[in-house]
Amino acid sequence: MRATFYTDEQLVKSVQQLEKDWKRLYPDGNTDNPLYEGLQYERYLCKKRGLEY
């Protein structure tokens, strides 16, 4: 995945943007979609690097 090559700053910005998009597109909190899966993966990368988003 492309996110594995992000710098720390890029990764945090990407997580923040994905969260905004997910909340806008799925206001009901639907987690059964590729956007949410991508968000979870990038959150995992942030935790692995010790970053707060």
Side-chain angles (χ1 to χ4, degrees):
M1 292 204 131
R2 187 178 77 191
T4 57
F5 300 108
Y6 283 173
T7 64
D8 292 350
E9 183 179 325
Q10 288 173 319
L11 184 58
V12 169
K13 285 183 180 180
S14 180
V15 168
Q16 291 170 343
Q17 186 61 48
L18 278 173
E19 284 180 340
K20 286 179 190 175
D21 292 343
W22 178 66
K23 288 177 183 175
R24 181 177 50 84
L25 293 170
Y26 302 99
D28 60 346
N30 180 11
T31 58
D32 188 26
N33 56 67
L35 182 63
Y36 187 77
E37 290 176 18
L39 175 59
Q40 288 299 91
Y41 178 70
E42 289 194 10
R43 285 176 175 167
Y44 161 77
L45 290 177
C46 280
K47 288 180 184 178
K48 189 174 176 183
R49 294 185 189 185
L51 303 173
E52 297 208 13
Y53 46 88

